[in-house]
């Protein structure tokens, strides 16, 4: 049996740099398997048997809110929403309520001293990224929170100014409005009042139209928060659920389908927590809101017909598990921009040339370091393509990698792939979204800044830009070159993966453009038109890591 040094072992086992735990500083790093936006850190340590261990920093939300004994809103909803969005959530309880689906029967406010003790316990130790607030039932508690945040600064503060529950029960009286306006709102990165809460903060002004909501957002922004989201779920005579986002410069009217259900208890808490979760992952504010809205809409639709309690307003299913049981045979891969690092696009003709199956090719690419797979098939009949796709989904999910289908939305739906990639001549991304739903990944091929901007408007998750270089895998493919790639990156609000003629000899030049949203390269023949896919993928992956290190140095 061969032995290796600790560093050799770690380098072959864990896909990130090794740092001595005794170092005075541990630099942040970039890694193809770890989301860049999370800025994970790795530390070398040993257990009692001398086995190397690593520690990573994960996104962390602290919710400061009231406890809901019915578990539909408050602390309980915040924790479930954060779990569903893949972040850690700790809690500081400001009040304990006795409530159910009928309403609130009692409220017991936690003492200011004990709220302060809870805040200090979490903030002094647990490396919180984002604080989200809910029910703050007294002046003293608001003041304690503000003092704690000044002492322990965090990346972002999300304020959901809970004053009235959706069942109509008063949870915070008018006496705290002044301290909200003067102390808490100026510290917030975003506030998320519903129409009633926005009205209360503005002294009772009535909000009945979208124009009223825009005016309210502007007035609330003037009180100090960096951005405002006025939620219009209770807007009268509105067929859609319309929210208004204002960042101090521009209004965004965000619409989603109004789900017909009485299971809406906790939607406000959940939306604010989901926004906080996406911010903790590193998303910009508008994208965080869009993702959070899609999540809430999906959860409402999924749980619209469940029955819990006898009251007029029931809870919904944050984890989308209650109807299908604890375990599921399928696993939905959540998209992260770092998935684009080494994007492998399959080719069945190349596989036939080398005498291998598609599943063998996909498995070898993943084991070599591919971070996402796109299954592209132009000639196979639908039945054959579907069977291949199902097998490849199982392989990708076994390794924890997303699988996308090129063009064929029907196949993506039938095999429950993680998403699709479409071209400019295919179905627009916004229509693809209506078919696939909010959680699936959608990529769009773009060559121009105008196409890149439209992809953002249509709700795509990423852009594939190219061809960067001439390629034999796609006929009459106009190349954009490195300068065209740079132009699209500069115009795009989305992460970008470069594609077209990229191989081991030129991939580093692409990465060394150094564009912040250029997440990786997509390759076809550089992997699949080679005898040994595993070794070719490993070599390309190593080359990309070196290029990234050079850009970051």
């Amino acid at each position: 049996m061969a032995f290796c040094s600790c560093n050799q072992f770690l380098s072959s086992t864990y896909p990130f740099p090794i740092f001595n735990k005794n170092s005075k500083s541990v630099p942040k790093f970039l890694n193809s398997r770890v989301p860049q936006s999370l800025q994970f850190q790795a530390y070398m340590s040993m257990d009692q048997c001398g086995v190397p261990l690593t520690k990573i920093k994960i996104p962390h939300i602290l919710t400061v809110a009231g406890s809901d004994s019915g578990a539909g809103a408050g602390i309980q909803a915040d924790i479930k929403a954060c779990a569903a969005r893949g972040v850690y959530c700790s809690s500081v309880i400001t009040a304990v309520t006795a409530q159910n689906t009928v309403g609130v029967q009692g409220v017991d406010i936690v003492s200011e001293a004990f709220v302060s003790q809870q805040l200090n316990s979490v903030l002094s130790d647990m490396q919180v990224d984002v604080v989200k607030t809910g029910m703050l039932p007294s002046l003293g508690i608001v003041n304690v929170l503000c003092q704690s945040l000044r002492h322990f600064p965090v990346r972002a503060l999300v304020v959901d100014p809970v004053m009235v529950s959706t069942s109509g029960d008063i949870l915070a009286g008018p006496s705290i409005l002044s301290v909200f306006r003067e102390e808490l709102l100026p510290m917030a990165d975003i506030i998320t009042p519903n129409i009633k809460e926005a009205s209360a903060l503005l002294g009772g002004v009535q909000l009945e139209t979208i124009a009223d909501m825009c005016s309210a957002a502007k007035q609330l922004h003037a009180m100090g928060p960096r951005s405002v989201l006025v939620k219009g779920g209770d807007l009268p005579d509105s067929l859609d659920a319309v929210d208004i986002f204002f960042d101090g410069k521009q209004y965004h009217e965000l619409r989603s389908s109004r789900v017909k259900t009485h299971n809406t208890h906790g939607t406000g808490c959940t939306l604010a927590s989901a926004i906080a979760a996406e911010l903790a992952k590193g998303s910009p504010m508008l994208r965080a809101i869009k993702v959070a809205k899609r999540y809430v809409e999906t959860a409402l639709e999924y749980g619209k017909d469940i029955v819990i309690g006898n009251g007029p307003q029931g809870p919904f299913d944050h984890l989308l598990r209650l109807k299908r049981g604890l375990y599921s045979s399928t696993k939905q891969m959540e998209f992260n921009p770092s998935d684009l690092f080494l994007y492998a696009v399959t080719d069945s003709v190349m596989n036939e040339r080398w005498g291998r199956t598609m599943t063998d090719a996909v498995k070898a690419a993943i084991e070599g370091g591919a971070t996402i797979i796109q299954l592209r098939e132009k000639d196979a009949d639908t039945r054959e393509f579907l069977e291949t796709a199902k097998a490849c989904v199982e392989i990708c999910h076994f390794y924890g990698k997303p699988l996308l289908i090129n063009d064929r939305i029907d196949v993506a739906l039938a095999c429950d792939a993680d998403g699709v990639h479409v071209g400019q001549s295919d179905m627009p991304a916004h229509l693809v979204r209506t078919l696939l739903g909010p959680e699936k990944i959608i990529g769009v091929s773009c060559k121009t800044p105008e196409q890149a901007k439209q992809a953002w408007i249509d709700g795509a998750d990423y852009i594939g830009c190219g061809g960067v270089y001439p390629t034999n895998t796609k006929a009459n493919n106009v190349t954009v070159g490195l300068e065209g790639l740079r132009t699209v990156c500069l115009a795009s609000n989305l992460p970008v993966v470069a594609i077209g003629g990229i191989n081991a000899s030129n991939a580093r030049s692409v990465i060394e453009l150094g564009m912040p949203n250029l997440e990786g390269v997509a390759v076809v023949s550089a992997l699949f038109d080679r005898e040994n896919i595993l070794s070719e993928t490993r070599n390309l992956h190593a080359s990309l890591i070196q290029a990234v290190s050079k850009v970051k140095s």
Side-chain angles (χ1 to χ4, degrees):
M1 179 178 179
F3 292 89
C4 61
S5 69
C6 293
N7 277 4
Q8 289 173 331
F9 177 83
L10 278 172
S11 298
S12 62
T13 306
Y14 301 107
F16 31 68
I18 306 304
F19 305 120
N20 190 300
K21 68 177 181 178
N22 296 318
S23 299
K24 293 182 178 179
S25 63
V26 183
K28 295 181 179 180
F29 64 94
L30 175 66
N31 176 274
S32 65
R33 299 189 191 179
V34 181
Q36 297 176 27
S37 60
L38 303 188
Q39 295 295 314
F40 283 4
Q41 292 179 324
Y43 304 84
M44 189 178 93
S45 59
M46 301 286 179
D47 69 8
Q48 292 179 345
C49 298
V51 177
L53 302 174
T54 59
K55 298 179 181 180
I56 57 174
K57 170 69 174 69
I58 63 172
H60 183 166
I61 307 298
L62 168 62
T63 172
V64 183
S67 169
D68 173 3
S69 58
I75 288 284
Q76 289 83 351
D78 295 340
I79 292 174
K80 287 186 283 188
C82 288
R85 301 311 306 162
V87 304
Y88 185 79
C89 183
S90 56
S91 62
V92 167
I93 298 177
T94 59
V96 179
T97 69
Q99 61 178 298
N100 51 27
T101 61
V102 177
V104 178
Q105 291 79 46
V107 177
D108 192 356
I109 298 176
V110 176
S111 71
E112 297 166 20
F114 196 64
V115 170
S116 178
Q117 190 173 353
Q118 292 178 75
L119 285 165
N120 186 71
S121 292
V122 177
L123 291 171
S124 66
D125 170 63
M126 299 183 70
Q127 299 176 318
V128 172
D129 297 301
V130 179
V131 169
K132 176 264 173 186
T133 71
M135 180 183 176
L136 303 174
S138 72
L139 288 167
I141 288 177
V142 177
N143 284 324
V144 163
L145 172 63
C146 292
Q147 291 170 9
S148 294
L149 291 175
R150 292 187 188 100
H151 188 65
F152 300 103
V154 293
R155 187 190 306 172
L157 173 63
V158 177
V159 174
D160 185 24
V162 176
M163 297 171 188
V164 182
S165 74
T166 44
S167 59
D169 297 283
I170 303 298
L171 298 177
S175 62
I176 71 166
L177 287 176
S178 59
V179 74
F180 255 81
R181 298 188 190 104
E182 296 169 10
E183 297 291 334
L184 189 61
L185 299 192
M187 300 178 70
D189 291 87
I190 183 170
I191 63 172
T192 62
N194 60 30
I195 287 177
K196 293 178 182 178
E197 292 157 350
S199 174
L201 288 168
L202 295 173
V205 61
Q206 294 300 305
L207 307 181
E208 298 179 348
T209 66
I210 291 176
D212 292 341
M213 293 171 64
C214 290
S215 176
K218 185 175 183 179
Q219 293 178 65
L220 290 169
H221 184 268
M223 295 181 182
R226 290 184 176 89
S227 55
V228 178
L229 180 70
V230 179
K231 300 174 294 190
D234 297 324
L235 191 69
D237 304 321
S238 175
L239 297 177
D240 296 329
V242 183
D243 300 336
I244 297 297
F245 173 63
F246 181 60
D247 59 7
K249 297 180 180 179
Q250 187 175 359
Y251 295 97
H252 298 267
E253 185 177 310
L254 306 174
R255 291 180 176 267
S256 58
S257 300
R258 189 179 289 277
V259 180
K260 293 182 179 180
T261 177
H262 76 284
N263 294 329
T264 57
H265 184 49
T267 49
C269 306
T270 300
L271 180 66
S273 294
I275 292 171
E278 298 307 314
L279 293 176
K281 295 177 186 178
S283 293
M285 185 65 73
L286 183 56
R287 176 173 174 78
I289 293 170
K290 288 182 175 181
V291 170
K293 278 181 64 66
R294 288 194 309 212
Y295 160 66
V296 172
E297 181 183 359
T298 300
L300 285 172
E301 178 65 33
Y302 179 85
K304 65 183 179 182
D305 54 358
I306 62 176
V307 178
I308 298 176
N310 301 309
Q313 188 184 49
F316 58 97
D317 182 6
H318 290 78
L319 299 176
L320 290 88
R321 291 284 180 180
L322 295 179
K323 291 196 298 184
R324 61 179 177 174
L326 182 60
Y327 301 103
S328 173
S329 61
T330 61
K331 178 183 178 183
Q332 172 65 40
M333 300 301 298
E334 184 175 337
F335 173 71
N336 190 285
S338 64
D339 294 336
L340 304 175
F341 186 71
L342 180 45
Y343 188 129
V345 183
T346 67
D347 190 296
S348 58
V349 174
M350 294 176 186
N351 288 329
E352 290 174 5
R353 185 181 302 150
W354 290 99
R356 56 183 168 240
T357 65
M358 182 66 77
T359 51
D360 287 341
V362 167
K363 184 173 182 289
I366 293 175
E367 290 181 346
T371 53
I372 190 169
I373 301 292
Q374 181 192 132
L375 203 61
R376 184 170 67 177
E377 183 56 76
K378 300 294 186 181
D379 300 321
D381 63 64
T382 299
R383 182 185 297 273
E384 180 185 354
F385 188 17
L386 178 57
E387 291 306 311
T388 300
K390 288 180 178 179
C392 290
V393 165
E394 289 188 10
I395 292 170
C396 288
H397 288 186
F398 176 81
Y399 287 94
K401 305 298 178 185
L403 181 130
L404 309 184
I405 304 296
N406 179 257
D407 296 347
R408 296 290 299 273
I409 298 163
D410 57 335
V411 173
L413 285 167
C415 73
D416 198 23
D418 299 294
V420 298
H421 185 92
V422 294
Q424 290 296 315
S425 61
D426 298 317
M427 184 182 292
H430 69 91
L431 293 179
V432 177
R433 179 67 69 195
T434 63
L435 294 173
L436 295 186
E439 296 299 318
K440 298 295 185 179
I441 303 166
I442 298 176
V444 178
S445 296
C446 298
K447 294 180 183 293
T448 68
E450 292 73 22
Q451 292 172 351
K453 292 174 182 177
Q454 188 62 47
W456 163 258
I457 293 170
D458 286 348
D461 293 295
Y462 74 89
I463 285 171
C465 181
V468 177
Y469 302 107
T471 176
N472 295 323
T473 61
K474 198 168 186 179
N476 303 316
N477 188 30
V478 177
T479 58
V480 299
L482 292 177
E483 193 54 40
L485 174 61
R486 184 197 304 272
T487 302
V488 168
C489 287
L490 289 171
S492 176
N493 291 322
L494 295 169
V496 177
V497 59
I499 188 169
I502 298 173
N503 53 47
S505 67
N506 57 31
R508 293 188 62 167
S509 298
V510 174
I511 296 298
E512 288 171 2
L513 277 176
M515 305 307 296
N517 58 338
L518 179 58
E519 298 288 345
V521 299
V523 292
V524 188
S525 57
L527 300 184
F528 297 106
D529 202 14
R530 299 292 189 272
E531 182 177 3
N532 192 323
I533 294 175
L534 179 64
S535 63
E536 294 292 340
T537 311
R538 281 177 176 167
N539 292 338
L540 182 55
H541 187 279
S543 180
L544 293 175
I545 290 290
Q546 291 174 1
V548 167
S549 299
K550 181 178 179 181
V551 170
K552 294 293 181 179
S553 62

